[in-house]
């Protein structure tokens, strides 16, 4: 919550902690660049983290300019804490915000009116597929094609993190626009594409391996005999809902191509298991030893990659 010396008030809200921290540092850096006699000390900074599904951007903050223009300088000087004389104004703002929030329409109502588009990130897999009239999300296909075109031999592909701010920008574009061109120069860093793909799977309300299958997959990976273990995993995979099965098949086929280039990209099936295990399957409620669960998650992904041809056999076979 920010108040300028001219009396303007701004409320920035997000449920993404690292994005809030980015805002915090951007605002602090802008203040620090102002002439000392007109800027506030950083210790007066009051930045409240609030959970919300909406983000109100601060348009008057010019973080690119090292020396603010005179006409903008006034709006860039922030009084970031309230004095006693401001308490009444603050209470009035809080009261108005509470009334606004209590009256705001539901997300479903806004979507029905066409004011908010259906989101890709954070939606259930089957809903995304139904909306696109497909069994594999278009975003997943586009990411896989981009990685196979220019990332198979990149060192640490899927292990190395891309720039988080750029990944969030890509996430926003995907959620707001119908078409996406991953060959655009702003997505040149392939680690941004892989980071966004991992984020898509991580933000699914229910993971690619549905919750009701988690314990069954764990029990299957524990089977000592390798042939019996593979057969049990194959049987479970065949029982998955169609969107989960088709998406899983295309993803694991892709990751198998990554592992085939291990001598160049240094990403073995074991490495990919460590990266994707906790992302693709997890229990609905974490109980017991998390480290043991993680071990099984990694082993399941690793086995499905190494035995891909036996697990994802065609119906004719």
């Amino acid at each position: 919550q920010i108040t300028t010396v001219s009396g303007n008030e701004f409320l920035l809200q997000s449920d993404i902690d690292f994005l809030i921290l980015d805002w915090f540092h951007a605002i602090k850096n802008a203040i620090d660049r102002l002439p000392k006699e007109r800027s506030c000390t950083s210790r007066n900074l009051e930045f409240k983290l609030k959970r919300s599904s909406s983000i109100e951007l601060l348009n008057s903050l010019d973080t690119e300019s090292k020396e603010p223009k005179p006409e903008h300088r006034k709006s860039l000087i922030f009084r970031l804490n309230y004095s006693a004389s401001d308490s009444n104004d603050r209470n009035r703002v809080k009261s108005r915000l509470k009334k606004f929030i209590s009256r705001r329409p539901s997300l479903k109502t806004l979507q029905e009116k066409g004011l908010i588009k259906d989101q890709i990130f954070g939606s259930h897999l089957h809903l995304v597929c139904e909306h696109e009239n497909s069994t594999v999300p278009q975003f997943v296909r586009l990411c896989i094609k981009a990685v196979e075109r220019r990332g198979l031999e990149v060192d640490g592909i899927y292990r190395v993190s891309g720039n988080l701010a750029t990944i969030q920008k890509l996430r926003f574009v995907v959620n707001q626009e119908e078409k996406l061109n991953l060959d655009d120069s702003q997505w040149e860093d392939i680690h941004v594409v892989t980071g966004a793909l991992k984020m898509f799977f991580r933000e699914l309300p229910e993971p690619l391996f549905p919750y009701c299958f988690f314990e069954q997959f764990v029990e299957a990976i524990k089977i000592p005999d390798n042939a019996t273990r593979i057969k049990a995993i194959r049987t479970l995979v065949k029982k998955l809902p169609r969107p989960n099965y088709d998406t899983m098949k295309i993803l694991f086929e892709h990751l198998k191509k990554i592992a085939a280039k291990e001598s160049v990209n240094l990403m073995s099936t074991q490495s990919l298991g460590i990266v994707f295990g906790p992302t693709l399957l997890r229990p609905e409620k974490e109980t017991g030893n998390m480290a043991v669960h993680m071990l099984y998650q990694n082993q399941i992904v690793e086995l499905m990659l190494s035995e891909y041809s036996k697990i994802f056999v065609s119906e004719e076979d």
Side-chain angles (χ1 to χ4, degrees), residues 4 9 23 35 53 68 83 109 119 134 155 162 187 205 227 235 254:
T4 68
E9 295 177 338
W23 294 343
S53 60
S83 64
T109 301
Q119 304 288 286
S134 173
D155 185 7
W187 322 124
T235 300
H254 165 64

Side-chain angles (χ1 to χ4, degrees), residues 95 198 215 294:
S95 177
K198 288 187 294 182
E215 292 297 336
M294 186 173 294

Side-chain angles (χ1 to χ4, degrees), residues 237-252:
V237 168
K238 292 290 186 183
K239 293 180 180 179
L240 293 173
R242 183 66 183 275
N244 297 72
Y245 176 86
D246 286 355
T247 302
M248 189 180 297
K249 183 175 182 180
I250 194 174
L251 175 64
F252 276 80

Side-chain angles (χ1 to χ4, degrees), residues 182-232:
L182 289 177
D183 290 328
D184 190 287
S185 59
Q186 61 185 324
W187 322 124
E188 181 180 5
D189 182 4
I190 197 63
H191 297 303
V192 167
V193 177
T194 58
L197 181 60
K198 288 187 294 182
M199 180 179 287
F200 170 82
F201 285 112
R202 193 164 55 245
E203 291 190 0
L204 288 174
E206 185 171 36
L208 188 59
F209 289 71
Y211 288 130
C212 60
F213 283 85
F214 179 79
E215 292 297 336
Q216 298 177 65
F217 273 100
V218 170
E219 291 303 315
I221 201 66
K222 291 180 182 179
I223 297 174
D225 180 67
N226 189 56
T228 307
R229 182 166 61 243
I230 294 172
K231 184 178 180 180

Side-chain angles (χ1 to χ4, degrees), residues 1-254:
Q1 186 173 321
I2 302 169
T3 303
T4 68
V5 293
S6 59
N8 295 321
E9 295 177 338
F10 300 89
L11 180 66
L12 288 79
Q13 295 177 288
S14 175
D15 57 357
I16 303 170
D17 292 340
F18 68 78
L19 185 58
I20 294 174
L21 290 176
D22 284 345
W23 294 343
F24 176 92
H25 292 305
I27 294 168
K28 182 178 181 299
N29 290 338
I31 294 172
D32 291 341
R33 289 201 300 268
L34 294 173
K36 291 184 178 180
E37 63 272 13
R38 300 197 61 183
S39 64
C40 306
T41 58
S42 59
R43 61 175 175 271
N44 287 331
L45 189 62
E46 178 188 2
F47 201 79
K48 299 179 181 179
L49 308 186
K50 297 187 178 182
R51 297 288 178 181
S52 171
S53 60
S54 63
I55 300 176
E56 186 171 333
L57 297 178
L58 182 61
N59 294 322
S60 63
L61 181 62
D62 180 9
T63 57
E64 296 296 325
S65 174
K66 292 185 178 180
E67 189 61 37
K69 298 178 182 179
E71 61 270 23
H72 292 161
R73 190 168 292 166
K74 188 174 181 180
S75 66
L76 286 172
I77 302 174
F78 295 90
R79 184 180 60 222
L80 297 172
N81 65 327
Y82 283 95
S83 64
S85 62
D86 296 318
S87 59
N88 290 335
D89 290 338
R90 179 174 59 178
N91 290 334
R92 276 200 300 272
V93 172
K94 283 185 176 181
S95 177
R96 290 175 183 174
L97 283 173
K98 286 180 180 178
K99 289 180 180 179
F100 170 76
I101 292 172
S102 65
R103 295 175 187 171
R104 67 181 180 178
S106 66
L107 177 62
K108 183 178 180 181
T109 301
L110 292 174
Q111 288 174 333
E112 289 174 350
K113 291 182 178 180
L115 298 176
I116 294 182
K117 295 182 178 181
D118 293 329
Q119 304 288 286
I120 301 299
F121 282 76
S123 295
H124 285 275
L125 182 65
H126 71 278
L127 294 179
V128 176
C129 291
E130 285 176 10
H131 176 71
E132 298 178 351
N133 193 26
S134 173
T135 56
V136 179
Q138 181 66 11
F139 177 67
V140 173
R141 292 184 183 274
L142 289 175
C143 287
I144 287 175
K145 287 181 180 179
V147 175
E148 291 185 357
R149 190 166 56 247
R150 53 192 175 94
L152 286 179
E153 298 186 353
V154 174
D155 185 7
I157 191 72
Y158 284 112
R159 185 185 69 243
V160 176
S161 299
N163 181 274
L164 289 176
T166 310
I167 292 172
Q168 284 294 339
K169 183 179 180 181
L170 176 55
R171 179 183 186 273
F172 178 81
V173 169
V174 172
N175 276 339
Q176 297 298 319
E177 299 180 6
E178 293 294 329
K179 294 182 180 180
L180 175 67
N181 179 16
L182 289 177
D183 290 328
D184 190 287
S185 59
Q186 61 185 324
W187 322 124
E188 181 180 5
D189 182 4
I190 197 63
H191 297 303
V192 167
V193 177
T194 58
L197 181 60
K198 288 187 294 182
M199 180 179 287
F200 170 82
F201 285 112
R202 193 164 55 245
E203 291 190 0
L204 288 174
E206 185 171 36
L208 188 59
F209 289 71
Y211 288 130
C212 60
F213 283 85
F214 179 79
E215 292 297 336
Q216 298 177 65
F217 273 100
V218 170
E219 291 303 315
I221 201 66
K222 291 180 182 179
I223 297 174
D225 180 67
N226 189 56
T228 307
R229 182 166 61 243
I230 294 172
K231 184 178 180 180
I233 295 288
R234 182 174 66 236
T235 300
L236 289 172
V237 168
K238 292 290 186 183
K239 293 180 180 179
L240 293 173
R242 183 66 183 275
N244 297 72
Y245 176 86
D246 286 355
T247 302
M248 189 180 297
K249 183 175 182 180
I250 194 174
L251 175 64
F252 276 80
E253 182 181 16
H254 165 64

